[in-house]
Amino acid sequence: MLAPMKYAAPATVEEARALLAADGGARVFAGATDLIPQIRAGRPEPSMMIDLKRIDRLSGIARAGSTWTIGAATPTADIVAHAGFAAEFPGLAEASGLIGSDQIQNRCTWGGNLVNASPAADTPPALIVNDAKAVIASAGGERTVAAAEVATGPGATCLGADEIIVEFTLASPPPRTADAYLRLIPRTEMDIAVVGAAARVTLAPDGAVTAAAVALGAVAPTVVRVPDAEAALIGGPLTDDALEAVAQAASAACRPIDDKRGTVAYRRRVAGVLARRAVAIAADRAAADQRGASS
Amino acid sequence: MTVTESRPESSSEPPAARPRYRFVGTRPVRHDGLDKVTGRARFAADCDLPGQLAGCVVRSPHAHARIISIDTGEAEAMPGVKAVISGGDFPAVAPGDPNYDMGVNLMARDRVLYEGHAVAAVAALTTDQARAAAAAVRVEYEPLPPVLTIDAALDPAVGAIHAHMFTSGADPAPTEPSNVSQLTNFARGDTEAGFAAADVVIEREFTTQPVHQGYIEPHAVTADASQDGKATVWCSSQGHFNVRAQTAAMLGWETARIKVVPAEIGGGFGGKTTIYLEPLAVLLSAKAGRPVKMVMTRSEVFRATGPAPGSKFRVKLGARSDGTLTAGKAQMAYSSGVFPSYAAFLGAWTVFESYDIADFEVEARNVVLNTPRSAAYRAPSAPMSALATETVVDELAQALGIDPIEMRLRNAVSEGAINTLGAPFPRVGFTECLEAIRDHPHYGAPLGPNQGRGVAAGHWFNIGESSSATVNLNEDGTATVVTGSPDIGGSRASMALMAAEELGIDVYDITPVVGDTESVGFTDITEGSRATFATGMAVVEACRRVVADLRGRAAKMMGVDVSEVDWADGSAVHAGGEHDPLPLAAITAEAKKTGGPITVTGSLDAKGVGPSFAVHLCDVEVDPETGVVQVVRYTAAQDAGTAIHPSYVEGQIQGGAAQGIGWALNEEYIYDGDGVMENPGFLDYRVPVASDLPMIDAVIVEVPNPNHPYGVRGVGETSIIPPLAAVANAVAAATGRRIRDLPMSPVRVLDAIVNSGSDSTDSSSSNG
Ligand SMILES: Cc1cc2nc3c(=O)[nH]c(=O)nc-3n(C[C@H](O)[C@H](O)[C@H](O)COP(=O)(O)OP(=O)(O)OC[C@H]3O[C@@H](n4cnc5c(N)ncnc54)[C@H](O)[C@@H]3O)c2cc1C
């Protein structure tokens, strides 16, 4: 007979880490919207479930100077509803608001979305184009890694066995900068991305693109950055040719698989379409961005 | 939380000729409504008995394998385990026995025949213990090659799954077994001459994949066989008398030893017209001496209960330049999973049934595969056959430059037309449905960019069968109406409305109840759109005899001859007017003095079914760069005969349309190369969610069925028939591409748009 699963609700990061270090079968959870379905689908039951939501530092949205700090266990519903945050990161808020349904968003978190390391997760591409950093509590203290470095393959991360993501930091974007996130699902909600595309664009007052980032989800084992798309955009105005170059570069950057959710050919083509559309939306938003308009 | 009422009223007004009823045709809140929306209603899995055990099924990981051995020793020794059963605990069944297919499906014997096939079952104190013990049942398999596609099943070189299966209906009778279980042929006239007389002939191929009914409530049962050599079974089903009969047959018990108590049902759509768990639970309970409860997981529902068959057709139709259809030819195959079914017969019957076609030939094969045994799903086989016919008719209309509704009006069957089986149609409302759509504001509404509009029709014959109803008048003048029909779509409210109309008392003074198998007379399954029609007839018959009884009692109370007493508006009325009217409650109050309790049973085998027609109109918008199809507007007209409770007629129309749209766009069983289902859950088996659908505008057409006291035709099934073709025709209009392989998922639609191979002109020919 299996020993019954234990539940712990530590109040500090150190307590949580100590519990994790003491029991190799223990797992942390935030929303548990990945963990519980996985257990029900037959993955091994953890010996202990460690609830991260009772640790004050892991929940909350704060801005100090030009740095935003988001607790790793903050429900994405709070992020979507935070008007100040959503104004600066509309695409990241969009990605956060696409996960599952209202019920799921009241529980689920960036930390869980990133550490679960599904290639199809919605928030990682948007975190990555915004150069988000994850602050990780380790045995020796804390270390900071780029969100892009966290997932190393499907279900695999750079985290050590007793490491926990504590929070995310994001720099407030410069003026005339905005992001966007689009995904392709066969339904309108409650589905999983066949392709996801995030873009962030900064425009000069004359409309030239001065900075750009494009990242794709669900088309490779981990999120794919598309430097060729970024290069095609930077330095010029957002012409149809530039957008077409984005689409081409995005399609070329994919390393998709054939599976029950889509084919290689489909994912490749649609990655280009969504990347182009996401860039166009981000650029429209950047052009409308009033912050620092007088400068 | 606030709940806003946003149901649109039906846009069809009752025809003026229709008799005015006091209750029939009104929309009272259903009697079971409050409990359903507040969560109090008790469904199958809500039944708990003291001391009950939890049951769990051991299922095959292989699509096809010989069972070399089953070792239950380790499982039996595990903590909390009280009983373990496997195939050997059931009565032996031999190939050819009428119980063979169901018996083997219930529990594998020498072979497993699909992934998810039950091989053993365990009962233990807790669910965790039962699951752990199930995992400890050691089954040794020798994998065999699975047959997974219709093409493979039709290939004579592929070995027969069942060595005893020889194609029935084939002439001459085959000498070798095969995976074709049955062949149906229908023919009329001279097809070659019919095609020769056509100005345009179009021939197309279609495929559809198996789809699940997708009921929200998984199969669940609690059985208590711990006393008296009898068993009581609590479960939800579409027919508890059928559950009783099948469970008895599977166990080799007399029917009277089993009592089945119906729970509220969380959806069936045909999928709950058969059994999977009940005999297992009874046997486990009998062995353990305690009640046993079993609840399927969603994955078990997908892997081990019946979907609708997949299909592969070739359909050819010819038409004259005025739109008259001259000839039809259909070659059809349905895959019914691992056992034979009537799918091919129903497909052959329905494929040309809506149109008056002088010359036709239909050949339909039912094939078996190593996939779960198919089950009924709303209008079995007709959605697929209508996809084919309604698409080709649409293409013919396009080729001839005729409006698609006009094309159908020119060929629609009406009273007296001879159907596929050779019988004349009674009065039907196909033309009226076509006119209702043609005259609807939706038909001429402008379309936006990337949008297209499609129309399609559907027909279902509906069935009668046996029903019983008992009407008990209570002392205070209220009435209890007990029927044997599980209520899967609001039928209790309809029974109460018809009883109220007959008795003349308020609909809320009537309590409609679904009785268990010991409390009401035998009643067939709620299937074939028959409950409101046939069980309604039994209710009306019982009520009419109650009224006769009431008139007699009133005559006694008045001291007059019964011939002088009429029944009007819930009271006995003296024709001469010398006595005051006696309301029903005044008569029941005195029942002791006039002959005792007033209780009447109506039992009948209903004749005179009214076939039902529907016409659906669908607008889609297709993203040309991603292939995503969004249904943006949908209108469905259907002949209900008479809508007893219009809200539940609309509900049936909307539900069928929603399910058909899912079938058209995204639903399908996906198997890997070994026959293991890859999408046994609602994440990757995509039924439409609410935000995928527009409000479906239900237009009730009423052409009363002359053979029913209130003119009822069944409405439960026809609504799922047109959507496959309506959506496909709309996608064709939006994209210029005909997609004839379902589902029309984004991948497939984009492929059709990008690779312009499948345009709409291949294999059509002109005889001009
Ligand atoms: C119905 C439904 C719909 C869904 N739809 C979507 C969707 O549209 N898009 C999408 O991307 N996902 C979707 N998901 C998946 C899931 O909701 C998301 O991945 C979610 O962000 C996970 O967050 P969580 O807090 O619930 O993770 P949890 O389940 O709590 O954790 C997931 C994993 O991360 C680990 N973990 C969690 N927090 C931390 C931390 N701070 N430090 C270290 N490790 C941590 C856990 O140990 C676990 O391994 C859906 C899930 C469901 C059930």
Side-chain angles (χ1 to χ4, degrees):
Chain A
M1 194 55 216
L2 299 164
M5 194 200 294
K6 283 181 280 204
Y7 166 84
T12 66
V13 174
E14 271 327 296
E15 272 177 65
R17 273 206 51 255
L19 287 166
L20 203 50
D23 178 352
R27 296 282 294 278
V28 298
F29 72 96
T33 61
D34 276 317
L35 209 49
I36 297 277
Q38 285 162 4
I39 292 168
R40 292 189 61 177
R43 296 238 193 128
E45 268 188 19
S47 51
M48 179 186 280
M49 298 272 287
I50 305 169
D51 190 345
L52 298 178
K53 293 225 177 196
R54 307 293 173 85
I55 305 172
D56 282 346
R57 191 176 158 200
L58 264 71
S59 293
I61 304 167
R63 182 182 168 158
S66 64
T67 302
W68 287 90
T69 302
I70 316 292
T74 309
T76 61
D78 290 0
I79 297 170
V80 177
H82 194 291
F85 181 86
E88 291 190 29
F89 300 96
L92 185 46
E94 235 157 37
S96 308
L98 285 177
I99 299 179
S101 59
D102 287 357
Q103 291 95 323
I104 296 290
Q105 287 164 36
N106 283 331
R107 294 284 314 166
C108 72
T109 66
W110 286 355
N113 204 212
L114 202 58
V115 176
N116 185 58
S118 157
D122 282 311
T123 62
L127 286 165
I128 288 168
V129 295
N130 284 297
D131 206 14
K133 305 268 190 296
V135 178
I136 298 171
S138 312
E142 286 181 2
R143 63 190 183 109
T144 299
V145 303
E149 308 297 318
V150 174
T152 55
T157 68
C158 72
L159 296 190
D162 62 347
E163 287 190 316
I164 297 169
I165 299 184
V166 176
E167 61 201 15
F168 293 88
T169 59
L170 286 148
S172 225
R176 298 178 59 81
T177 297
D179 62 346
Y181 177 75
L182 295 173
R183 69 172 181 181
L184 190 296
I185 54 173
R187 284 189 292 215
T188 48
E189 59 180 350
M190 296 301 284
D191 215 326
I192 195 159
V194 179
V195 178
R200 174 163 133 159
V201 174
T202 303
L203 299 177
D206 68 356
V209 178
T210 58
V214 174
L216 305 171
V219 293
T222 56
V223 172
V224 175
R225 274 290 284 260
V226 192
D228 288 352
E230 298 162 5
L233 288 167
I234 293 170
L238 198 79
T239 59
D240 286 351
D241 284 350
L243 286 172
E244 194 42 46
V246 167
Q248 300 278 348
S251 292
C254 298
R255 281 169 287 133
I257 54 165
D258 276 321
D259 68 6
K260 61 191 170 190
R261 296 183 182 133
T263 59
V264 167
Y266 183 81
R267 287 191 160 109
R268 219 179 255 297
R269 177 175 276 272
V270 171
V273 172
L274 294 195
R276 163 164 52 72
R277 290 181 181 177
V279 166
I281 295 168
D284 276 351
R285 287 175 178 162
D289 181 12
Q290 292 306 308
R291 291 172 310 131
S294 55
S295 64
Chain B
M1 196 180 78
T2 48
V3 177
T4 339
E5 172 93 343
S6 64
R7 177 177 44 69
E9 293 301 303
S10 160
S11 35
S12 69
E13 277 306 305
R18 178 179 148 184
R20 289 279 154 200
Y21 298 118
R22 199 172 140 203
F23 296 102
V24 164
T26 63
R27 299 172 183 259
V29 171
R30 62 202 281 172
H31 296 65
D32 51 315
L34 202 56
D35 282 347
K36 291 252 172 82
V37 300
T38 55
R40 281 194 303 249
R42 295 177 65 79
F43 294 87
D46 294 323
C47 175
D48 288 301
L49 299 178
Q52 84 189 8
L53 304 173
C56 181
V57 178
V58 180
R59 296 187 182 278
S60 167
H62 301 289
H64 194 192
R66 201 178 315 285
I67 298 174
I68 294 170
S69 64
I70 301 177
D71 179 359
T72 59
E74 190 184 331
E76 275 162 44
M78 288 179 67
V81 174
K82 301 293 176 193
V84 182
I85 57 169
S86 61
D89 292 283
F90 288 85
V93 281
D97 285 359
N99 291 332
Y100 179 83
D101 295 351
M102 180 171 283
V104 171
N105 194 46
L106 213 54
M107 192 62 91
R109 309 296 160 105
D110 56 338
R111 273 187 305 159
V112 289
L113 297 166
Y114 54 92
E115 188 242 344
H117 197 170
V119 283
V122 175
L125 292 176
T126 68
T127 305
D128 284 347
Q129 288 174 334
R131 289 207 183 122
V137 172
R138 303 280 165 238
V139 187
E140 203 185 328
Y141 296 102
E142 177 197 334
L144 300 168
V147 182
L148 296 173
T149 64
I150 290 178
D151 286 339
L154 289 171
D155 181 350
V158 171
I161 297 172
H162 303 288
H164 65 277
M165 204 173 81
F166 294 81
T167 310
S168 70
D171 184 21
T175 53
E176 295 291 323
S178 75
N179 291 317
V180 179
S181 62
Q182 192 258 344
L183 177 69
T184 299
N185 286 291
F186 291 122
R188 178 160 75 204
D190 179 346
T191 311
E192 286 317 309
F195 283 121
D199 294 308
V200 185
V201 175
I202 292 181
E203 180 169 18
R204 298 286 183 244
E205 277 189 21
F206 300 85
T207 61
T208 70
Q209 300 305 313
V211 294
H212 199 267
Q213 297 83 353
Y215 31 81
I216 296 301
E217 180 199 35
H219 298 259
V221 60
T222 304
D224 185 5
S226 59
Q227 295 161 43
D228 297 343
K230 289 179 68 176
T232 306
V233 175
W234 291 263
C235 65
S236 73
S237 76
Q238 289 176 241
H240 40 297
F241 286 89
N242 176 64
V243 170
R244 182 180 67 165
Q246 291 184 336
T247 304
M250 291 300 102
L251 297 170
W253 288 19
E254 298 82 18
T255 305
R257 278 171 69 190
I258 299 171
K259 168 177 167 178
V260 182
V261 183
E264 290 293 346
I265 179 167
F269 313 109
K272 290 180 183 163
T273 56
T274 186
I275 58 168
Y276 300 100
L277 294 175
E278 288 75 5
L280 280 57
V282 171
L283 214 52
L284 286 168
S285 173
K287 209 163 173 179
R290 293 166 69 157
V292 172
K293 176 172 173 175
M294 306 179 83
V295 182
M296 281 196 193
T297 62
R298 181 62 59 187
S299 162
E300 288 181 287
V301 171
F302 275 111
R303 291 181 299 129
T305 73
S311 69
K312 181 170 183 176
F313 302 157
R314 191 170 184 87
V315 167
K316 179 173 166 184
L317 283 167
R320 269 200 276 276
S321 56
D322 67 356
T324 312
L325 294 171
T326 60
K329 182 170 180 177
Q331 289 152 288
M332 319 171 74
Y334 285 92
S335 62
S336 61
V338 74
F339 293 110
S341 85
Y342 46 79
F345 169 74
L346 291 178
W349 178 0
T350 52
V351 65
F352 294 141
E353 185 77 342
S354 298
Y355 300 109
D356 222 343
I357 305 175
D359 305 297
F360 63 78
E361 266 173 64
V362 182
E363 183 173 71
R365 289 179 169 76
N366 193 92
V367 306
V368 296
L369 305 176
N370 289 112
T371 58
R373 180 185 203 189
S374 69
Y377 182 13
R378 283 183 123 144
S381 299
M384 304 81 138
S385 63
L387 168 68
T389 302
E390 293 295 316
T391 300
V392 177
V393 167
D394 205 64
E395 290 195 52
L396 284 170
Q398 215 177 348
L400 294 169
I402 299 174
D403 170 86
I405 297 271
E406 185 53 39
M407 177 84 188
R408 288 168 172 85
L409 279 167
R410 285 184 200 171
N411 296 285
V413 292
S414 57
E415 186 169 0
I418 302 302
N419 80 358
T420 306
L421 304 183
F425 268 98
R427 176 82 172 91
V428 291
F430 188 16
T431 298
E432 288 80 353
C433 289
L434 286 163
E435 288 168 348
I437 289 296
R438 183 195 59 197
D439 300 341
H440 193 283
H442 179 178
Y443 198 56
L447 287 164
N450 298 317
Q451 294 186 351
R453 178 165 295 151
V455 66
H459 153 270
W460 191 242
F461 45 85
N462 294 331
I463 64 172
E465 295 192 330
S466 298
S467 285
S468 299
T470 298
V471 176
N472 294 316
L473 296 192
N474 304 316
E475 310 87 285
D476 59 357
T478 60
T480 307
V481 174
V482 190
T483 73
S485 288
D487 180 353
I488 57 173
S491 60
R492 269 170 296 188
S494 296
M495 301 307 150
L497 282 165
M498 286 182 273
E501 198 69 52
E502 292 291 326
L503 299 176
I505 60 175
D506 191 79
V507 68
Y508 289 123
D509 285 334
I510 291 168
T511 301
V513 180
V514 185
D516 64 54
T517 54
E518 292 180 351
S519 310
V520 66
F522 178 88
T523 300
D524 273 313
I525 302 175
T526 299
E527 63 178 358
S529 304
R530 61 175 289 279
T532 305
F533 169 72
T535 307
M537 262 180 166
V539 167
V540 170
E541 183 185 293
C543 286
R544 287 185 180 172
R545 281 157 55 197
V546 165
V547 167
D549 193 356
L550 285 166
R551 284 174 49 232
R553 311 269 186 145
K556 262 189 205 162
M557 290 165 74
M558 292 172 181
V560 301
D561 189 81
V562 66
S563 63
E564 295 171 45
V565 180
D566 292 330
W567 190 258
D569 281 339
S571 293
V573 183
H574 184 234
E578 288 127 54
H579 298 272
D580 285 344
L582 278 172
L584 184 142
I587 305 171
T588 54
E590 301 291 313
K592 263 195 165 69
K593 298 176 196 158
T594 56
I598 302 175
T599 172
V600 172
T601 289
S603 279
L604 47 77
D605 194 67
K607 303 287 183 245
V609 289
S612 165
F613 282 85
V615 179
H616 289 198
L617 183 61
C618 171
D619 292 356
V620 299
E621 184 169 320
V622 182
D623 183 330
E625 292 187 313
T626 64
V628 170
V629 177
Q630 181 72 37
V631 177
V632 293
R633 186 167 181 185
Y634 203 99
T635 304
Q638 186 169 323
D639 177 14
T642 298
I644 302 296
H645 192 309
S647 299
Y648 304 136
V649 173
E650 289 158 3
Q652 291 296 317
I653 294 174
Q654 291 163 336
Q659 288 181 312
I661 291 168
W663 196 333
L665 292 180
N666 282 305
E667 294 182 40
E668 64 177 320
Y669 273 50
I670 303 172
Y671 287 103
D672 72 9
D674 296 324
V676 174
M677 189 179 178
E678 290 196 74
N679 58 338
F682 282 136
L683 176 56
D684 285 302
Y685 182 90
R686 293 185 173 76
V687 300
V689 297
S691 56
D692 291 338
L693 299 171
M695 190 65 203
I696 288 160
D697 188 1
V699 178
I700 301 174
V701 173
E702 294 188 303
V703 178
N705 172 8
N707 301 314
H708 184 276
Y710 288 100
V712 168
R713 299 172 193 273
V715 297
E717 294 172 287
T718 316
S719 54
I720 202 172
I721 302 171
L724 282 58
V727 176
N729 289 339
V731 169
T735 62
R737 300 275 181 270
R738 289 276 172 188
I739 299 168
R740 305 186 189 92
D741 302 300
L742 298 193
M744 291 177 280
S745 60
V747 172
R748 200 164 255 155
V749 173
L750 188 63
D751 186 56
I753 293 172
V754 174
N755 305 315
S756 43
S758 67
D759 67 36
S760 58
T761 50
D762 59 320
S763 73
S764 71
S765 64
S766 277
N767 290 345

